[in-house]
Structures are given as structure tokens and as C-alpha cells.
Amino acid sequence: MPRGVKAERPPPAESVEPLQASTVVILHPGSMSLWLGRATDHLPQSIPHVIAWRKPPGCPVDLPDQSLLVREGIDHPDSETQKELALSVIEQAIWSRKSSSGSRKHQTTVSQVSAFNAKVEPELHVDDESSIKWTDTSTAPPIIVGEQALYIHPDEPYSLHWPMRGGHLNLHDGPGGSLTAVCADLETLWAYAIQTHLAIPLRDLGYYRVVLVVPDSFDKNHIKEMMNILLCKLGFSSAIIHQESVSSVFGCGLSAACVVDVGDEKTSICCVEDGLVVPSSRLWLQYGGRDITRAFFWLLRRVSFPYKECDANNRLDVLLLHELKETFCHLSQDIVGGQVHEFQVHRPFDTPRSYQLKIGDEAIEAPMGMFFPQLFGIVGEKLVYTKDHQYDDPEDLYDDRYLLESQRTQDQSSKSGGSKAGPNIELVPEHDQDIAAVIKTGNKDMKLVSEKSLGLDQAILHSINCCATEETKRKMYSSVLLIGGGFMFNGAANMLQSRLQAKLPAPHRKLVDQVEVIARPKEMDPRTICWKGGAVLSILDSAQELWISQREWITIGVRVLRERSPFIWTICS
């Protein structure tokens, strides 16, 4: 059918049996973890979102291991200088803050900490057995899924594949990087998780519905492929797709919020009001919890980290570093530095070892990198994005390309265009996905260039400032929702709140009594809030008309998403 011919409107949702929450499966896939469960479950289960494929005999190809602390842009000659400069700024920011009692933070010098750690020797526990075992591959299974894949011996002929990365499908030029191969990995992973963790046979999925919670930045072309997996490959009877930001707001019982989702590899920021994302407020930062881990390791080595064999290219060492970060890092001014801690190193078939470790300000400096991302030492990469990838699908007559062409034709035929309220964004070419827009707010122009890395607090202020009305901005400042697993530190919410309050634009100080950051609403785990919101949305009466049945998907295809998607499917209407 040629472009410009109006597509047939999808028929209304088929009449189905009344929804039973016990037959609704909620899937929330991320770069590192897959969260899943029934809508009736109080909490979801999770598995590492990774699959290992056995390599053919004689195959010399080794894929880069995404679980390691490596990324482009950190081996640049200027990287070390950038980190040192950022660290000096962070130190000043820490020392200038006061504790809850009003006293200044006590400074622990690097030389004092380093002198103690340099003398530490490991203590062997000869009577104990290591808690870590290599995965048994004696039967040469063709695939290994989840946590077992992380503990495959490095010499075994397996390569690890992570289907998602940075909020997108992990497409690359190497083996297993095609769209077909990545979708096959997703199908295998999800089928394994559903059978193993939910005890649902695949043959019974025709009696179940599924809710898929996806990142706000997810490519619409890839959403189509994921719908194919759920409805055609796995065989669910019907499906709904929800965005992470909207799901998180529902999961907390809020009506509006500026959602700040700090993941392992990226940070997503956007404003949600009345169940819809404010399109102009969307912002993605290409750094997250993994970068904090890398920065913490760099800081520990500066103070003579006693586990000298620790290697950022060793998967087991990286898992240990993640654990040390989550255990010791914080953003509280009340925690005194210079304390001595203890940690253990377990390796398969090796005697467990314990080390003493003295930590000064390194524990607070590493997470401060979220406000001063130069500490991550990433040079030459674009770290800030504001635009979706262009949606171009030959099966959808009204994709972005057609709508942009139509809009351009209308603009050319129009004598004059009236200005609309709210921020005015000068669009850049569709292929340019970085932040090359000039955003005009009031009488000021704020130009964000791709080379400049925004701190988390700056990015939040920018996102809220892009909302159209002062009333919406007031709501967002009063409800900043901090979710995700990358910034779960003691004192993180208070630190972020104080920095936002201090940088609040002068015109808004009269409107906003107090900036409020919500980190653990109802004592919920920030990592599970999106999943919980998907479960809540699935059983709402207003959501029942959004279900897309398997027959509708096979008959109509991606066009049905424009009618049933709970978020804006195309960039203009």
C-alpha cells in the first residue's frame, strides 16, 4: 500500500475472559537483570540477563565481555588528567558541606589511608571452602542462561551475550550481534526464566497475558520485534507494552513526577504527568552504576588497595568490586571516613582470603561522580542524548518519516506559523541523535553541546525546565522520583535534594517551597518499582482496552500499536 493511503483502523479488542491477575506475567528486561513475576506476586524474581553460547570447535572469536569494567573513551590520553581535575573539585564540594550536627566533615588524607592499606596481608581461611564454584559444563550444553553463565570457567569454549545494553537491543558487528540473533537470545532467555522461575510450561502460555516494561529510549522498531517474540514465538494470548517512567509513577501511587532512573549503564530522566511522558523533558545520560564501580576501583588503587591481584578484566573480580561499592559507598556527611573494614575474596578451588581495608573519602567520592561525570574519565564519547531513534517501518504507513515529510509540506504551504506555549526546540537532522538543540526558556537560551557531560542535578533541572507550564514545573520539583539500582546509596536522596535546592532557578523559588526527592516510596526497592507499576497498570479497568491479542497482532501487525499503545507511538500527529 503506497504512503498517504489511510490504513484501516484496527478493530476493537476481542472479547476475552475477565482478566485474572494470576494469569498475567510482568517482564521488565534490563541491561544486566531481568525482573519477572505474576501480577499477584508481592515482589518479582530476577536473573542476570545474559546467555552463554557454546562456540563451534576451532572458533577463535572472542566477544568483548559486557560484564567487565571496560568501555570506550576511558583509554584516552586525557582521561587520567580529567579524573584528577574532577576529583579535586569533588573534594572541595565534600569539605564544604556540613554534617547534620552542623560540623564540617573531618578530612582523612590519602597518605594516611594508603600507609595502612600498604601493610595489609591477606588472612587465609584454610578450614573454609570457597562459596563460588565454576559452572559444570561436562555435558557440553549448547547454551547456559542467567547466573550460571557468569561462572563459566574462562577457558571453556563459551561466549557471553547480553541482549540489551544501555536501554537498547545490543546490536553489534560481531558474532551474535544481528537483530535476528539478539531476538533469538531474548526468546531463549525469557522462555528459560518463565519455565524455571515462574513454573509455567511454555505450552500453557496461550492461557496467559504478558506486560512488557521497556525503557523510554527503546527503539520502536525493536518493540515490534519483542512483540513478535511474546505473541508469535512464546505464544502469549495478549500483551501490553508500558514505559519504565510511567510504570514507576504508577508503582509509587503518584499522579506526577520527574522520574530519574539510574541504571547500570545509563540514566534516564523525564517528567510524567497524568500517565503521559512530557516529550520535551526526556533526557538520557550515558553513564550509571557501572561507572561508579569503575571510579571506586580507581580510587581504591590510589590508596594501595590490598587485594593487589584485582583485575577489571576478570569477571569474578568485577562482581567483587560491585559488591564492595554497594557495601561501602555512601553520600552521607555523617559517616566518618578513615574506618577499617573487612572483605573476603572467594575463588573456585582456592582457599578463601580476607583483607582489612581502610577507606577514607573514597567511599563518598565515587558516587559523587554522578554530579561530576568527568570523574569517570570518559573522553570522546557523547554522553547526553535527547532524541529517540527515528522510527522508520515499511509496515507502518504513518511512521516518523512520513509524518515529518507531511509536516514539512504543511509548513512550506503555510504563510505563517503561530508559536505554541512552552519550550521552543529547533530540530536537528533526524540522523543526529545527540543533544544539538537550542532550547529557549523565557529570555534565556540554553545550548547543550554533545561534548559536555551534564551532571545528574543539572540534567534534572534541564528536564523540568523543558515542561510547558509553571504549574507542571512546580509539580516536578516537588516530586523527583529516584529509581533504579545504580544510585542506591545511603544519603543519595538527601544529597541530590540539597544540590537541586541550591541550584533552583530564581524564578521558581517563589513557586516551589521545597524540592523533594523520593528514593524509597513505601519502603520499596528502587529496582522493582517499574515492575510493580507494570503489575498495577495491568489490572486497572482503564487498561483493559489496551491489550493486543495474538490474532490482532498477526492480522494487523505494528499498526495496532498506534491505537493501543499507552504512550505516543509517533513523534507527531
Side-chain angles (χ1 to χ4, degrees):
M1 185 182 295
R3 292 183 181 272
V5 180
K6 185 171 179 59
E8 180 183 353
R9 183 183 179 90
E14 300 173 352
S15 58
V16 294
E17 295 295 326
L19 184 143
Q20 297 180 355
S22 60
T23 62
V24 178
V25 174
I26 316 297
L27 293 178
H28 179 205
S31 298
M32 299 305 296
S33 300
L34 168 67
W35 300 87
L36 74 161
R38 291 178 172 85
T40 51
D41 294 340
H42 180 61
L43 292 172
Q45 302 184 57
S46 70
I47 65 170
H49 204 198
V50 61
I51 182 171
W53 288 89
R54 188 174 179 86
K55 294 189 290 188
C59 177
V61 179
D62 287 320
L63 291 175
D65 191 343
Q66 186 180 329
S67 59
L68 304 181
L69 294 180
V70 294
R71 68 174 292 174
E72 297 179 2
I74 61 173
D75 295 327
H76 194 277
D78 296 335
S79 179
E80 201 71 18
T81 302
Q82 179 173 292
K83 289 189 289 187
E84 292 288 354
L85 291 173
L87 182 59
S88 63
V89 176
I90 290 174
E91 289 173 346
Q92 293 294 329
I94 293 173
W95 297 338
S96 64
R97 287 179 55 85
K98 296 181 180 180
S99 66
S100 58
S101 63
S103 61
R104 296 286 182 184
K105 184 174 178 62
H106 175 70
Q107 179 183 355
T108 306
T109 65
V110 172
S111 58
Q112 291 173 332
V113 177
S114 182
F116 177 90
N117 289 333
K119 299 177 181 178
V120 172
E121 295 292 336
E123 179 183 349
L124 301 180
H125 298 266
V126 293
D127 296 331
D128 296 336
E129 186 177 350
S130 176
S131 59
I132 296 179
K133 307 291 183 184
W134 292 122
T135 298
D136 183 10
T137 59
S138 58
T139 59
I143 60 170
I144 300 175
V145 176
E147 188 172 10
Q148 287 187 323
L150 296 177
Y151 293 97
I152 298 175
H153 193 283
D155 295 336
E156 293 290 335
Y158 286 87
S159 59
L160 266 61
H161 296 253
W162 302 81
M164 292 181 62
R165 186 171 190 180
H168 302 279
L169 291 186
N170 187 14
L171 307 183
H172 54 82
D173 296 332
S178 68
L179 181 59
T180 302
V182 171
C183 289
D185 289 344
L186 285 176
E187 180 185 347
T188 304
L189 265 165
W190 295 353
Y192 169 86
I194 290 168
Q195 292 181 99
T196 305
H197 293 271
L198 301 185
I200 302 175
L202 294 183
R203 65 177 179 272
D204 293 342
L205 290 184
Y207 302 103
Y208 286 80
R209 306 185 189 201
V210 61
V211 176
L212 180 66
V213 183
V214 297
D216 297 8
S217 59
F218 218 80
D219 294 2
K220 294 182 177 68
N221 301 80
H222 296 169
I223 288 179
K224 181 181 75 170
E225 300 297 333
M226 299 171 89
M227 286 289 285
N228 275 326
I229 293 172
L230 295 173
L231 295 176
C232 301
K233 302 292 186 180
L234 297 179
F236 281 99
S237 65
S238 56
I240 289 180
I241 289 182
H242 281 301
Q243 293 174 299
E244 286 179 340
S245 57
V246 176
S247 295
S248 63
V249 171
F250 273 88
C252 301
L254 301 173
S255 60
C258 177
V259 181
V260 182
D261 186 356
V262 184
D264 189 69
E265 297 180 326
K266 56 88 182 172
T267 299
S268 173
I269 304 171
C270 70
C271 297
V272 178
E273 186 177 26
D274 298 329
L276 291 175
V277 172
V278 179
S280 60
S281 69
R282 295 178 302 170
L283 197 67
W284 297 285
L285 308 175
Q286 298 301 304
Y287 55 83
R290 180 183 300 272
D291 299 283
I292 298 176
T293 303
R294 188 188 305 107
F296 189 46
F297 183 39
W298 177 74
L299 291 166
L300 288 178
R301 285 186 296 178
R302 294 176 76 251
V303 291
S304 304
F305 186 44
Y307 175 34
K308 298 177 177 59
E309 299 84 2
C310 189
D311 185 1
N313 293 308
N314 182 298
R315 193 182 308 140
L316 297 185
D317 284 344
V318 171
L319 292 173
L320 172 65
L321 289 171
H322 282 305
E323 182 181 349
L324 294 179
K325 175 196 69 175
E326 293 172 357
T327 303
F328 300 130
C329 283
H330 64 89
L331 282 166
S332 173
Q333 293 293 118
D334 294 335
I335 297 179
V336 179
Q339 298 182 7
V340 178
H341 307 273
E342 184 176 302
F343 68 94
Q344 291 189 348
V345 176
H346 288 257
R347 293 294 175 267
F349 308 113
D350 197 2
T351 303
R353 291 167 286 168
S354 64
Y355 292 86
Q356 286 188 319
L357 173 64
K358 191 170 188 177
I359 303 179
D361 293 330
E362 295 77 23
I364 192 173
E365 290 167 348
M368 283 290 287
M370 290 297 293
F371 305 115
F372 302 92
Q374 293 80 8
L375 182 69
F376 301 143
I378 305 167
V379 180
E381 275 197 71
K382 296 176 181 178
L383 296 181
V384 186
Y385 292 78
T386 58
K387 291 186 61 184
D388 282 324
H389 288 273
Q390 188 185 53
Y391 169 56
D392 186 6
D393 193 325
E395 295 181 14
D396 190 350
L397 302 178
Y398 290 87
D399 60 10
D400 289 353
R401 182 184 296 273
Y402 170 74
L403 294 174
L404 284 169
E405 290 174 355
S406 301
Q407 184 68 43
R408 193 173 293 118
T409 301
Q410 293 175 11
D411 292 343
Q412 290 174 353
S413 62
S414 164
K415 292 183 179 180
S416 62
S419 60
K420 296 181 179 180
N424 176 29
I425 301 181
E426 298 176 7
L427 292 177
V428 297
E430 292 82 7
H431 64 271
D432 190 359
Q433 300 299 323
D434 65 355
I435 220 175
V438 178
I439 299 175
K440 299 180 180 179
T441 55
N443 296 322
K444 294 185 177 180
D445 291 359
M446 175 164 42
K447 185 171 183 178
L448 304 178
V449 295
S450 58
E451 292 77 11
K452 182 179 179 181
S453 52
L454 289 178
L456 182 61
D457 49 350
Q458 296 171 310
I460 294 171
L461 292 171
H462 169 74
S463 176
I464 295 176
N465 203 38
C466 287
C467 293
T469 67
E470 297 302 314
E471 176 61 21
T472 301
K473 294 176 184 178
R474 186 192 63 78
K475 291 180 183 178
M476 299 306 157
Y477 281 121
S478 302
S479 183
V480 178
L481 180 60
L482 183 61
I483 64 173
F487 205 49
M488 295 172 52
F489 302 108
N490 179 13
N494 290 336
M495 176 69 77
L496 177 58
Q497 182 168 306
S498 64
R499 291 185 66 86
L500 290 175
Q501 189 72 41
K503 295 184 178 182
L504 193 65
H508 296 148
R509 290 177 183 169
K510 296 179 180 179
L511 298 173
V512 182
D513 295 331
Q514 177 68 37
V515 174
E516 182 176 0
V517 175
I518 306 168
R520 289 183 177 269
K522 303 176 183 178
E523 299 301 318
M524 295 173 63
D525 186 335
R527 298 171 297 179
T528 65
I529 289 176
C530 290
W531 180 92
K532 188 66 175 179
V536 171
L537 284 164
S538 69
I539 60 177
L540 294 177
D541 291 339
S542 59
Q544 300 319 300
E545 62 184 19
L546 301 177
W547 289 101
I548 299 172
S549 71
Q550 183 187 80
R551 186 173 72 85
E552 288 175 319
W553 182 256
I554 294 173
T555 304
I556 302 170
V558 69
R559 290 171 293 167
V560 74
L561 285 170
R562 187 182 294 105
E563 301 293 333
R564 304 279 176 75
S565 170
F567 52 89
I568 299 174
W569 184 247
T570 47
I571 62 174
C572 50
S573 58

